Amino acid sequence: LAGNENGAIHQLEYRISRLEGVLRLNKMITESGGKIFATNGKRADFDATVEKCKEAGGSIATPRNPGENDAILYFVKYFNTYAYLGIKQSLIPGQFQLLNGARLSYTNWYSNEPSGQGEE
């Protein structure tokens, strides 16, 4: 039975890698540091985006290092649009935090941003 389990696992890994390849070709996923970043390429508001990510078994992207930031930027450039992030303004104006309230450990803001004016 152990041999059958190994065969089934190998078959699943093969199918997953083929699906990931197709999604990469269609510019729907990218990877950084073992994390997969994905999009359906459709526009939605912030709340709908958060919900779709949960439905897919993931969470809205929150860059925690330059590589993850680049993975998100990949979609922004490819789809020529903006991306929502899992970051919100804290109770202290000008301070930001993760959606769960934790402190940000990585930021990559442009100078004088975020300003609260238009696109950030």
Side-chain angles (χ1 to χ4, degrees):
L1 193 59
N4 288 343
E5 285 179 12
N6 285 338
I9 290 170
H10 179 70
Q11 187 177 24
L12 285 172
E13 288 172 341
Y14 175 74
R15 291 185 69 195
I16 289 168
S17 72
R18 289 189 64 199
L19 289 170
E20 285 178 344
V22 169
L23 291 171
R24 278 191 185 89
L25 286 174
N26 289 314
K27 308 297 186 204
M28 300 307 225
I29 67 170
T30 189
E31 196 173 358
S32 178
K35 290 183 184 177
I36 293 177
F37 293 81
T39 184
N40 61 12
K42 297 179 182 176
R43 291 180 182 255
D45 65 29
F46 181 79
D47 293 330
T49 301
V50 170
E51 189 57 35
K52 283 290 182 189
C53 291
K54 284 183 185 175
E55 287 174 11
S59 61
I60 191 167
T62 305
R64 298 177 192 270
N65 58 55
E68 292 179 8
N69 193 68
D70 288 346
I72 297 164
L73 188 58
Y74 165 82
F75 291 128
V76 169
K77 288 180 177 178
Y78 183 81
F79 289 101
N80 192 29
T81 190
Y82 55 86
Y84 291 117
L85 302 175
I87 298 170
K88 66 180 181 178
Q89 189 163 330
S90 71
L91 296 175
I92 303 166
Q95 300 279 327
F96 291 80
Q97 61 191 28
L98 301 179
L99 294 182
N100 66 8
R103 293 178 54 115
L104 294 178
S105 60
Y106 169 80
T107 60
N108 189 28
W109 306 118
Y110 282 121
S111 181
N112 300 316
E113 295 291 351
S115 64
Q117 304 295 315
E119 294 183 17
E120 303 289 7

